[in-house]
Structure formats: structure tokens, C-alpha cells
Amino acid sequence: MSLLQVQNLSTAYGPIMVNREVSLIVNDQEIVTILGPNGAGKSTLLRSISGLLRPKKGAIRFNDRNVTGAPADRMASMGVVMVPEGRHIFPDLTVQQNLRLGAYCRTDHNAIEQDIALMESYFNVLAAKKHAKGSALSGGQQQMLAIARGLMARPRILLLDEPSLGLSPILVKEVQSVIADLRSKFSAAVLLVEQNAGLALSVAERGYFLQHGRIVGSGTISELKDHALIHEIYLGQHSRPKSVRPSAT
Amino acid sequence: MEIFFQQLVNSLSVASVTILIGMGITLIFGLAGIVNFAHGEFLMVGGMATWFLVSAGINFFIAVLGAMILVGFLGFVAERGLFRFTLERPMNGFIMSIGLSVILQHVVIRLFNEVQKTIPDPIGQVWVVHGVDIIVMRAIVIAITAIVVAITYFCISRSRYGLALTASIADPDTAALMGIPVRRYVTGVFIYGSVLAGLGGALMIALFPITPFTGSVVIIRGFAVSLIGGLGNVGGAVVGGLLLGLVDGLSAGYGFPEWTDAYSLVLMIAILIVRPQGLLGGTLGPKAS
Ligand SMILES: Nc1ncnc2c1ncn2[C@@H]1O[C@H](COP(=O)(O)OP(=O)(O)OP(=O)(O)O)[C@@H](O)[C@H]1O
Ligand SMILES: [Mg+2]
């Protein structure tokens, strides 16, 4: 039985269909990636899994329960937690307050305090800046905070939307090692959306290609690396780099 | 000096009512982006309910509780029955709330009449402090407001619910991703703001007569207060309310009393031109999409 099952999911913004008949699965503690060009509908897919968008058709099952159409707060409390594209740190709240909010669903107060300490030891910048406002952090620091805040919920599955976006190569390496460690340190599964195919292919075990809102290929990482689409999707990337969007603040 | 002190107490008691209504408006708009033009009528209904209960022989302070509960329930019904459906289109909600304010006025006129209502001073005592007469009820109004402000401020800035509320105001989608039931917070805040309006009305009728049309005067001042302080910012509503209250009281005592409303609105306009986000800064509410 897989942890997350997405079955024939279609999502639209008003009349504009974005995801069509998307099916995928993520097993417990597995790292799965979704690759695809700009505008393929990757964020839309994650937003509909996380409950921010209501799918038009199809079903989402989590832990063998039908959770189609459940709102984001319920998904989060069940353990499906998204770290959104652009980080969305609360700029006027401190680093600690941001972390504390991540644990909103939990009631085990002592364990929450322990987890805050754990995050601060794991992501050093967070300890140094615990009383700084979110807006005072650099893009890379905000990304670490966003991931840590997601982990504070102790998710069963973390949905990461372009965590390397706009980061320097050194920070991309750091994000990469954090993701690779998530399973062993936090026993969470990961569904990773990335433009940086190098990063995604190095940490994930399996993946899907998304193009024009549809799944057009899938397989293990070695299969994906040989897939014709990887070239179509990513080889042109350097000549057509994704514009770096400003972070949430 | 005695006169000044008396004016001060008077202005502070008037400011109290303004602060209570401004706090409700600022929370409701700041969180839900709901411009509830009927918020003034909520206050009026609270005042009328207090008048009705006191006239029926019920103790004033119990009548205050009754008014708060009634108006809180009114808020719950309005949020669940009306505003919930216009969250995506704030303009529709605004127009609807104007309709609601007219309906509430007419319901009250139907039930009672349009004549102004008063209750006898619930305390009916005067303190003489250094030769200055202080009406005790006014002091009580100020004290109750101070306590309510302190509790509200403490809950928002110190509790986990306050933190979640702040996050929901700043970024509802991301707050929902943390598991915060943003919609329930919207309902909760709407009810809380309505309860404050009920309290404001109950305290107001202890000081002044109230007519079914009182709400439409009060609402303008309520919006002025929340804009001056910064929408969504409770501390801002308090500062705004004090400022308006003092300008009112002092202009009534030392300037041209008939211009009182003009002074406070000129002040609001000046502040908004210099500091569009309000004195203490606030959200602009969820963006209309
Ligand atoms: N809120 C919205 N309203 C209407 N259309 C939208 C909205 N958000 C995205 N779209 C459209 O949906 C399509 C898919 O967008 P989405 O953000 O899911 O793509 P993506 O694969 O995440 O792209 P990127 O790599 O740029 O993040 C795009 O054509 C986009 O213009
Ligand atoms: Mg995207």
C-alpha cells in the first residue's frame, strides 16, 4: 500500500484546465520527483494535493483514506505538508514564531520545544537568527526556514516546490543534502518539484515527467536519465533560464 | 485645569466606545477583508438590547452580557449566512453589508420606534477628586474598555491562537498549509468583533441616548479609527481611538464643538496621506483578486 495515491486528477483555474488525468504514487519514506518545464502545472499539482486547490476530477488517497477535496488545514493535520514555491515565510514574525506555527497541529508541547531545538541545531542559521524577523533572512536562509517549518509538523510526506529556486550553487548543495537526509532524520516521504534536474535526479529514487499538465513519462532515476524527454525538457534550459522570482518578502 | 481633567475623562469615555468598535472593524477587515458597514448597527442593536433589558427591570451589567451574547450571535449568523459567500468578492460583501445595516435599522424601528432611547445612569454616583466631578459610570466605561483591550492584546500577541491569527491575516494560504483552520478563525474573529460592538453599544447607552440611526454615525468613526491605526492592528485601533477621542473632547471644550466630526475626519485624512498604512502599520487585508 502506498502512502499517497493520486488518481486521474484534473485541476483547473476557472475555465482553464491545468492538470489533466494525473496519476502518481509515493510510497512511505520514498523520495519522488516531478520534472517538467515552466508552466507544465507542477505547482498546480502540488497545490491540489496539499488542499489549497480543489481538484475538478479524480481522487487523492492518503494512508488508504479518500482525502479528495479536503482543505489544506486538514491535509496538514493528517501529515501532508507543503513547502510552497517562493518560501512564503511570515516576514513580520520571528524565525522561532515561524517554526512554532509549523507545529500548529501538534499538542505535544515538550516535543515541540525539542523539535525547535533540533531544527536550530540542524539548520545552524536558524539558531543564530532565532529572534530575527523572517524578512531579515537571505533567500537561502528563508528556504532553510521554510523546510524546517514544514518539518515542525512532523509530516508523513513533505511536498517541496522548487526549493532551489534563486539560490546560489553552494546553497543548492546544502538544500540537496538536507533533502537527501529527510528520510533518515525525519522519516518523511518527499514529493519534490524541481527545475534543477541535477538536484532532483541526485536525491530522488523515482520520478515523473509532467508536460502540458499531463504525466508523459515515469520511472526510476536511471530510467529517467535515459529518457528522451529529459533532453527535451532540460537541455534547452541554459539558453532559456527560468527567471529568478523574488522571494516571498 | 479642573475643566481639562473633566474633559479628559469625558473624552476617554467617548474614546472607549470608539476603540471598541474600531477594534472589531480592524480585526474583521484585517483578517477576512470583510468591510462590514453594518458593524455600526451591531453596536446600535447592542445598545437597544441593553435598553430593552434594563427597561424590563434587569440589572445593567447583566443586560450588558445579554447584549454581547445577542450581538455575537448576530455576527455568527451574518458571517455564516452572508459574508462567507462573498469572501472572494469583497465588493459584494460591502454592498450587502450596507443592505444589512438598513434592514437592522428598520427591524429595530419596527420592534420599538425611531425615538431615542435612554437608560438611567446605572451607577448614578459622582466622585469628587480635588474639586473635579467625575461621573463614576464614565470611569467604569474606561476601565472595562482598558481591560478588554488588554485581554485582546495579550491574546493576540502572546497566545498560540494569536500567533495563528496573525499568520492568517498575513498570508491565509500559507497559514492553512501549517494546519491553521483559517475559515474558523474568520468566523471566530467576526463573532469576537461583533461581541465588542455589542459591548460598545451597551456602554454607549449608559452614557448617551441611542437612536436606530446611531450606527451610521458610529461606523464612520470606527473606520476612521482603524484606518488611522493601521488595519488589522489592534494596538493601532487603540491609538486611533484615543487620538480621535481626545481631539473630539478637547475640540468640544476649547474649539468649535459643532466642528467636532470635521476635526477628527481631517485628522484621519491628514494621517492617511502622510502614512497610508496607518500610524502603527497594518495589513491591507487580503488582496481582492
Ligand atoms: N492562479 C492562477 N490562475 C490562473 N492560471 C494560473 C494560476 N496559477 C498558474 N496558472 C497557470 O497554470 C499553468 C501551470 O502553472 P504552474 O504554476 O502550475 O506551473 P509550474 O509547472 O509550477 O511552472 P513553474 O516552473 O513556472 O513554477 C500556467 O500556464 C499558469 O499560467
Ligand atoms: Mg511552479
Side-chain angles (χ1 to χ4, degrees):
Chain A
M1 179 197 87
S2 44
L3 182 65
L4 177 75
Q5 270 177 293
V6 174
Q7 297 160 340
N8 301 320
L9 201 70
S10 299
T11 312
Y13 293 107
I16 306 159
M17 215 43 155
V18 176
N19 289 140
R20 295 160 197 270
E21 305 277 316
V22 171
S23 297
L24 59 83
I25 57 168
V26 181
N27 294 310
D28 204 13
Q29 305 204 16
E30 191 182 25
I31 304 183
V32 175
T33 184
I34 299 170
L35 300 171
N38 287 344
K42 306 181 297 294
S43 298
T44 304
L45 179 58
L46 287 197
R47 288 169 64 82
S48 50
I49 296 173
S50 68
L52 283 180
L53 281 175
R54 230 188 136 80
K56 284 277 174 298
K57 274 193 244 149
I60 301 172
R61 299 184 67 80
F62 175 68
N63 235 347
D64 225 19
R65 275 169 60 197
N66 185 357
V67 294
T68 318
D73 56 292
R74 255 199 67 217
M75 293 304 288
S77 63
M78 287 187 289
V80 180
V81 172
M82 176 162 86
V83 177
E85 186 175 354
R87 296 146 201 146
H88 289 270
I89 294 306
F90 296 107
D92 293 330
L93 300 181
T94 66
V95 167
Q96 273 211 341
Q97 286 174 319
N98 269 280
L99 287 177
R100 223 171 272 286
L101 279 169
Y104 179 84
C105 293
R106 296 169 55 187
T107 48
D108 45 347
H109 299 285
N110 295 335
I112 290 174
E113 298 308 314
Q114 278 169 19
D115 272 0
I116 288 180
L118 178 67
M119 294 306 158
E120 287 173 351
S121 66
Y122 190 48
F123 303 92
N124 289 321
V125 295
L126 302 186
K129 300 233 171 188
K130 60 174 133 185
H131 299 300
K133 287 200 169 173
S135 55
L137 268 54
S138 71
Q141 293 168 342
Q142 288 194 357
Q143 188 59 58
M144 298 304 168
L145 175 56
I147 295 175
R149 185 179 62 180
L151 289 172
M152 283 300 296
R154 287 275 164 187
R156 296 287 308 279
I157 179 168
L158 199 62
L159 314 177
L160 292 173
D161 196 350
E162 310 226 17
S164 77
L165 185 63
L167 301 189
S168 67
I170 296 176
L171 285 168
V172 170
K173 279 261 174 281
E174 211 173 314
V175 167
Q176 179 174 335
S177 69
V178 165
I179 297 171
D181 275 358
L182 286 181
R183 171 177 33 204
S184 59
K185 288 216 162 61
F186 298 95
S187 35
V190 177
L191 184 57
L192 169 70
V193 161
E194 257 304 336
Q195 282 277 327
N196 185 331
L199 190 166
L201 296 175
S202 73
V203 295
E205 297 151 85
R206 279 193 310 116
Y208 297 85
F209 284 124
L210 195 70
Q211 209 175 17
H212 305 305
R214 296 175 191 277
I215 301 278
V216 291
S218 65
T220 63
I221 289 304
S222 51
E223 285 165 351
L224 291 186
K225 279 178 178 162
D226 294 336
H227 205 290
L229 280 166
I230 192 111
H231 303 288
E232 193 182 316
I233 292 175
Y234 286 109
L235 281 188
Q237 208 191 331
H238 294 295
S239 55
R240 182 171 54 81
K242 176 168 188 165
S243 61
V244 173
R245 270 168 264 173
S247 63
T249 56
Chain B
M1 193 60 212
E2 285 81 30
I3 303 235
F4 174 79
F5 195 66
Q6 221 158 18
Q7 291 290 355
L8 190 67
V9 172
N10 287 351
S11 339
L12 280 180
S13 60
V14 177
S16 294
V17 174
T18 317
I19 287 171
L20 287 174
I21 192 150
M23 244 163 50
I25 288 174
T26 216
L27 282 172
I28 290 171
F29 185 81
L31 174 61
I34 297 171
V35 178
N36 179 12
F37 210 73
H39 203 75
E41 274 64 38
F42 283 22
L43 176 136
M44 180 272 290
V45 167
M48 290 295 175
T50 309
W51 166 78
F52 181 78
L53 293 173
V54 168
S55 310
I58 290 169
N59 174 285
F60 171 73
F61 291 97
I62 294 174
V64 172
L65 281 184
M68 290 164 71
I69 292 170
L70 175 75
V71 179
F73 183 71
L74 183 63
F76 173 73
V77 171
E79 201 275 332
R80 281 295 162 98
L82 299 174
F83 294 107
R84 169 130 306 193
F85 302 103
T86 63
L87 285 179
E88 309 291 316
R89 296 180 186 277
M91 201 57 197
N92 293 7
F94 173 63
I95 301 295
M96 212 171 57
S97 74
I98 293 178
L100 180 62
S101 75
V102 175
I103 291 169
L104 286 174
Q105 284 174 12
H106 284 264
V107 167
V108 169
I109 292 173
R110 261 287 139 130
L111 281 178
F112 310 122
N113 51 44
E114 67 287 334
V115 183
Q116 68 175 34
K117 308 282 183 285
T118 51
I119 58 170
D121 184 325
I123 304 289
Q125 284 178 12
V126 174
W127 279 331
V128 183
V129 183
H130 296 296
V132 184
D133 287 355
I134 295 175
I135 299 167
V136 174
M137 192 57 218
R138 290 190 177 246
I140 290 178
V141 166
I142 297 171
I144 290 178
T145 305
I147 291 169
V148 168
V149 166
I151 291 174
T152 308
Y153 193 78
F154 185 82
C155 288
I156 288 182
S157 59
R158 291 276 181 277
S159 78
R160 148 189 140 89
Y161 300 106
L163 189 60
L165 178 64
T166 313
S168 305
I169 292 175
D171 187 343
D173 273 1
T174 307
L177 290 177
M178 318 277 99
I180 298 169
V182 177
R183 288 250 161 146
R184 229 178 289 159
Y185 274 81
V186 170
T187 308
V189 159
F190 204 97
I191 292 173
Y192 187 69
S194 305
V195 167
L196 292 186
L199 175 64
L203 296 182
M204 191 170 179
I205 202 166
L207 304 179
F208 313 105
I210 283 186
T211 79
F213 309 106
T214 298
S216 49
V217 182
V218 169
I219 188 75
I220 305 285
R221 305 178 57 74
F223 274 110
V225 160
S226 40
L227 285 168
I228 287 175
L231 275 169
N233 188 322
V234 170
V238 174
V239 171
L242 288 177
L243 215 58
L244 276 204
L246 292 181
V247 168
D248 280 1
L250 298 181
S251 67
Y254 296 101
F256 303 90
E258 63 275 22
W259 283 18
T260 293
D261 278 330
Y263 286 131
S264 44
L265 292 177
V266 166
L267 180 74
M268 175 189 81
I269 291 168
I271 288 175
L272 288 186
I273 289 174
V274 181
R275 272 186 72 85
Q277 72 279 39
L279 287 179
L280 272 64
T283 66
L284 294 172
K287 279 151 211 90
S289 51

